[in-house]
Amino acid sequence: MISIPATSDFSLHNIPFGCGLINNQFRACTRIGDYVIDLEECRIKDVFKDLTQMLEHTLVQPNLNDFIALGKTTTSEVRNMVIQLFTSNAWSEKNITLYPANEIKMILPVKVGDYTDFYSSREHATNVGVMFRDPQNALLPNWLHLPVGYHGRASSICVSDTPVIRPKGQILPVDSDTPVFSPTQQLDFELEMGFIIGKNTRLGQILSTKEAEAYIFGMVLFNDWSARDIQKWEYVPLGPFLAKNFASTMSPWIVTMEALEPFKVMGPIQHPEVLPYLEYEGPKNYDINLSVTIHTSNGVAKEVSHSNFKYMYWNMCQQLAHHTVNGCNINVGDVMASGTISGPTPDSYGSMLEIAWKGTKPVKMPDESERKFILDYDTVTLKGW
């Protein structure tokens, strides 16, 4: 059996899928412990048996879209065969190469045709409503009736470790009626998760909450960077634009829904009752611990948030059912982000806007500096387990 550190996020129960450059060639791959496995090498060495011909050409693309499009029956079988291969000594007998993970450049795992960002954490929506509107009516009238969302910019989704350039735009200074053009002074992260569409629908096709899971391939960590001061001035009446579309960061590994199945839990009780097309049965939320750490340019770090995906008020099946209820079609590789994931306590808030409460409660860093928002040369790390 392959040696896997006890603390590794990449055990044989995980087996995520990603896309990397191996020997300067695009390869679909997986990760086990501290090693990356080339799935095309596994195919050539007959690890996948009856699937060898079906998988041809799908594992040597600059994204996983063609592989995902083969369907869950095939991708799940590939995953199970990898587990079997490395549970035994068969990987050694077949001379499968183990590439050190820190030597492989990972790229965006899918070609993203469309991207939708939801706003589905009740705690986050309430906090924002309290800060910017009437605390007694923090949630807008529609929020408890439907999963609020907007169409984002797919072209600026980038893979982990891609530098983010501080955006510029119009900002309305305090006590002024005249906007100025300026780099954002309120650059913020948003702790989110995203799900990857694994199956196309035709235009006009509607998915029920019961059908939705079959169309979700897997999940990624997602950071929908936000420029809060630009956002505040521009969002009325049509919502996010320059404040959001300059960059969104996605993790390189897609964890399959099969791997996440054991972590299903019931979500919050929804009241008032939802309309029939949003009703669902059984556990549809997931118990996934999430954290955010800020690293300063001089090397010190502090965890500023510890949240959990199980807090989401609107689950993924409801989001997808609502997304398609008007007949909107979806395609393999589309990304649907959860919206900021905040919990019930200040240490579980999912953005600096909330953690520092609009700048009134700065976060003290170990080097005695403070953070109200993200400074130049900071690094923000999201983790999920």
Side-chain angles (χ1 to χ4, degrees):
M1 178 184 277
I2 187 172
S3 177
I4 305 173
T7 57
S8 175
D9 294 322
F10 299 95
S11 73
L12 287 171
H13 300 285
N14 191 343
I15 312 299
F17 292 111
C19 194
L21 284 171
I22 297 180
N23 297 323
N24 293 317
Q25 295 180 314
F26 294 118
R27 289 290 187 264
C29 45
T30 190
R31 180 166 170 177
I32 301 175
D34 295 327
Y35 299 104
V36 169
I37 313 301
D38 179 353
L39 295 178
E40 172 65 4
E41 180 185 354
C42 292
R43 188 193 72 84
I44 292 171
K45 293 180 178 178
D46 203 32
V47 169
F48 303 130
K49 302 174 184 176
D50 294 342
L51 299 178
T52 297
Q53 187 173 352
M54 181 185 295
L55 292 168
E56 190 174 8
H57 305 305
T58 67
L59 305 177
V60 293
Q61 304 297 323
N63 54 67
L64 297 176
N65 292 47
D66 288 349
F67 172 67
I68 294 171
L70 293 174
K72 282 193 177 186
T73 299
T74 300
T75 58
S76 295
E77 194 168 351
V78 167
R79 180 174 172 272
N80 289 333
M81 287 179 178
V82 171
I83 293 173
Q84 293 168 15
L85 178 72
F86 285 94
T87 301
S88 65
N89 275 327
W91 69 271
S92 181
E93 295 167 6
K94 288 184 176 290
N95 198 27
I96 300 296
T97 308
L98 304 180
Y99 295 93
N102 59 5
E103 297 179 7
I104 301 300
K105 178 177 175 58
M106 301 302 296
I107 61 177
L108 201 66
V110 289
K111 181 179 180 181
V112 184
D114 281 300
Y115 155 51
T116 298
D117 190 31
F118 286 96
Y119 186 52
S120 292
S121 161
R122 182 169 186 168
E123 289 81 2
H124 173 67
T126 300
N127 288 338
V128 172
V130 167
M131 276 187 269
F132 293 104
R133 290 189 297 273
D134 177 5
Q136 302 304 315
N137 297 286
L139 295 177
L140 291 170
N142 65 350
W143 201 93
L144 293 171
H145 294 275
L146 56 86
V148 174
Y150 72 95
H151 293 287
R153 183 74 179 176
S155 65
S156 53
I157 295 177
C158 49
V159 73
S160 291
D161 290 337
T162 302
V164 174
I165 299 171
R166 183 175 294 271
K168 299 176 182 178
Q170 289 193 23
I171 297 169
L172 186 67
V174 177
D175 300 326
S176 174
D177 295 325
T178 305
V180 298
F181 178 72
S182 169
T184 178
Q185 303 302 304
Q186 298 181 356
L187 183 61
D188 202 356
F189 63 80
E190 290 194 353
L191 172 61
E192 304 193 21
M193 294 200 68
F195 63 90
I196 309 297
I197 296 299
K199 191 175 177 181
N200 296 344
T201 64
R202 66 182 183 279
L203 194 64
Q205 181 180 351
I206 297 172
L207 297 179
S208 67
T209 55
K210 187 174 182 179
E211 295 170 314
E213 286 185 323
Y215 288 78
I216 301 174
F217 175 70
M219 300 202 70
V220 293
L221 292 166
F222 200 85
N223 182 355
D224 181 35
W225 298 94
S226 297
R228 299 298 185 187
D229 42 8
I230 296 174
Q231 182 179 1
K232 183 179 178 182
W233 171 239
E234 75 175 1
Y235 84 99
V236 178
L238 293 181
F241 188 43
L242 300 183
K244 297 278 192 175
N245 65 11
F246 60 95
S248 295
T249 302
M250 192 166 89
S251 57
W253 296 109
I254 304 174
V255 178
T256 66
M257 301 316 295
E258 290 82 3
L260 293 169
E261 185 70 20
F263 305 99
K264 276 187 169 180
V265 293
M266 296 299 296
I269 296 173
Q270 295 182 330
H271 182 80
E273 290 186 7
V274 298
L275 291 174
Y277 79 94
L278 290 171
E279 293 176 350
Y280 67 95
E281 295 181 356
K284 299 296 183 185
N285 281 39
Y286 290 81
D287 184 3
I288 302 174
N289 288 290
L290 300 165
S291 71
V292 181
T293 300
I294 297 176
H295 309 256
T296 69
S297 59
N298 60 7
V300 304
K302 181 172 183 174
E303 183 177 286
V304 296
S305 175
H306 187 102
S307 192
N308 195 296
F309 190 51
K310 68 183 179 183
Y311 296 136
M312 300 304 291
Y313 187 86
W314 297 103
N315 62 57
M316 293 182 289
C317 292
Q318 291 177 308
Q319 290 170 342
L320 198 49
H322 184 66
H323 200 301
T324 63
V325 75
N326 68 340
C328 175
N329 58 321
I330 56 174
N331 295 294
V332 171
D334 286 356
V335 174
M336 311 282 176
S338 62
T340 304
I341 304 166
S342 292
T345 57
D347 63 343
S348 63
Y349 293 165
S351 67
M352 286 302 292
L353 178 67
E354 299 164 89
I355 294 166
W357 205 256
K358 208 168 59 170
T360 63
K361 300 177 181 180
V363 174
K364 183 78 73 174
M365 299 296 288
D367 61 358
E368 299 303 315
S369 65
E370 291 184 341
R371 293 296 182 279
K372 297 178 181 179
F373 292 96
I374 303 304
L375 302 184
D376 288 349
Y377 307 110
D378 283 349
T379 298
V380 178
T381 301
L382 276 60
K383 291 186 177 182
W385 68 98

